[in-house]
Amino acid sequence: MNRPSPATPATPAAPAPLRLSDEVAAALAAGTPVVALESTIIAHGLPRPRNLAVALELEELVRAGGAVPATIAVLDGVPHIGLDKAGLERVAVDDSLRKLGFRELAPALATGASGATTVSGTAFLAARAGIRVFATGGLGGVHRDWTASQDESADLGLLARTRITVVCAGVKSILDVPATLERLETLGVAVLGYRTAEFPGFYLTSSGLPLDWTLDDPAEVAAVMHAQDALGGPASALVVANPVPQAEQLDPELHDRVLAEALAAAAEAGVTGQAITPYLLAHLTEHTRGASLEANLAAVRGNVRLAAGIARAWAAAGTDPGRQG
Ligand code: PSU
Ligand code: MN
């Protein structure tokens, strides 16, 4: 029996108009290495005016690592994949910028809004643009009061259905880290320790939690990415967990004490939803007199460097005629 063919809409929805910077477009066309960078860490995760310097520094680190940086944000309703200096400045200084996870993208596009993209927003847009490697600080995850608030970052669900490799220093230690690892397992997202058998602790080198897989160089990570593609199946991400060097971690005692104060202050102030992560990060920066900020930046720098190496290994494997894509 013939089914009626679905009606063709008079005006088929055009693909979301991603605006690629010239150098990102050229690199993707040539198959040379590209690293996606998120903008929420710049707009909402770091204090001003340091955040602009960091945004520029992270792009320089990607270049020094032999890859093209693609900082991602939505400006005036247009998703930008690769920002120029004026775009980076806008992300760093404009107070009206929203925080855009994946679900916020369509409303932002339709209304012409501007916003910085979180891990979920950035990973989605990067994958749509054809970028496979993404560097951030720490992933979002399950919040410590989950049983009451049900607050779990949209990062986890998006990574369960997006084919991207995200290099991070674990998940933010303000979260329930063991619960977040359990959720990543449930969601089918692979987690690799980079030169560590313990899950990193964001500001801390280790969370104390064991990992099942340890890899030691970017080519091994690229091989896992190829194996994911060869296997097929649901398009899940690959999390590469890269610890902050021990010499640059936050003092663990200071971390535990100030984090407990920050969580209490957030509960007292009634902060919830999208505001909770920036609130806790800012509280830690203030009450460790900047030490948590330095550890956060050290972690991000290491992740960006490693991501450039993985992007190079991935691009090299892609052009190796002996390798089946
Ligand atoms: N990593 C950092 N600083 C940050 C973030 C990550 O070092 O500010 C951001 C990321 O954009 C991540 C977001 O996606 O925090 C998580 O926010 P939420 O818990 O509201 O999902
Ligand atoms: Mn949340």
Side-chain angles (χ1 to χ4, degrees):
M1 200 176 87
N2 280 339
R3 287 165 189 262
S5 55
T8 310
T11 46
L18 306 181
R19 187 163 308 162
L20 276 60
S21 70
D22 290 346
E23 71 174 328
V24 168
L28 289 173
T32 55
V34 180
V35 172
L37 299 170
E38 61 147 313
S39 46
T40 290
I41 179 170
I42 303 302
H44 307 290
L46 298 171
R48 292 159 198 203
R50 185 87 181 266
N51 61 344
L52 176 58
V54 171
L56 295 166
E57 183 196 350
L58 296 181
E59 293 217 333
E60 277 318 303
L61 282 174
V62 172
R63 289 181 208 285
V68 169
T71 303
I72 294 180
V74 176
L75 298 177
D76 306 314
V78 178
H80 285 252
I81 316 294
L83 293 176
D84 58 13
K85 182 123 191 282
L88 284 175
E89 272 169 16
R90 202 166 149 197
V91 166
V93 308
D94 185 345
D95 280 324
S96 69
L97 239 59
R98 303 178 69 121
K99 177 173 164 182
L100 306 175
F102 165 70
R103 73 168 186 166
E104 276 83 33
L105 293 174
L109 265 60
T111 61
S114 298
T117 47
T118 68
V119 168
S120 74
T122 307
F124 174 80
L125 289 173
R128 288 284 274 120
I131 301 173
R132 185 63 181 261
V133 182
F134 166 28
T136 183
L139 301 180
V142 180
H143 285 262
R144 290 175 186 233
D145 63 347
W146 186 88
T147 47
S149 69
Q150 310 268 296
D151 188 351
E152 172 185 324
S153 176
D155 292 355
L156 302 187
L158 193 284
L159 291 178
R161 49 190 201 272
T162 303
R163 183 49 49 85
I164 197 155
T165 296
V166 47
V167 184
C168 59
V171 304
K172 285 183 274 287
S173 54
I174 59 174
L175 300 167
D176 184 334
V177 180
T180 304
L181 279 175
E182 293 293 348
R183 286 291 293 149
L184 286 167
E185 179 181 4
T186 303
L187 290 164
V189 178
V191 181
L192 309 176
Y194 190 76
R195 298 186 180 166
T196 179
E198 289 176 9
F199 194 55
F202 187 54
Y203 296 123
L204 305 177
T205 302
S206 174
S207 67
L209 298 163
L211 284 176
D212 295 325
W213 300 96
T214 301
L215 273 70
D216 296 311
D217 77 75
E220 290 177 17
V221 177
V224 176
M225 293 158 64
H226 277 288
Q228 281 186 310
D229 289 355
L231 276 167
S236 56
L238 181 65
V239 172
V240 178
N242 181 40
V244 65
Q246 196 132 23
E248 294 179 278
Q249 75 168 347
L250 185 60
D251 170 36
E253 261 172 49
L254 179 65
H255 172 269
D256 293 355
R257 179 167 57 76
V258 178
L259 176 56
E261 290 165 11
L263 292 165
E268 174 80 11
V271 184
T272 57
Q274 275 201 336
I276 186 80
T277 296
Y279 179 92
L280 291 171
L281 296 180
H283 194 285
L284 272 139
T285 295
E286 188 184 337
H287 295 268
T288 61
R289 295 211 209 102
S292 73
L293 174 61
E294 296 309 324
N296 188 349
L297 292 180
V300 180
R301 286 188 194 104
N303 296 341
V304 167
R305 283 192 201 99
L306 176 57
I310 293 170
R312 278 207 322 275
W314 175 247
T319 53
D320 173 357
R323 166 85 75 170
Q324 299 273 295

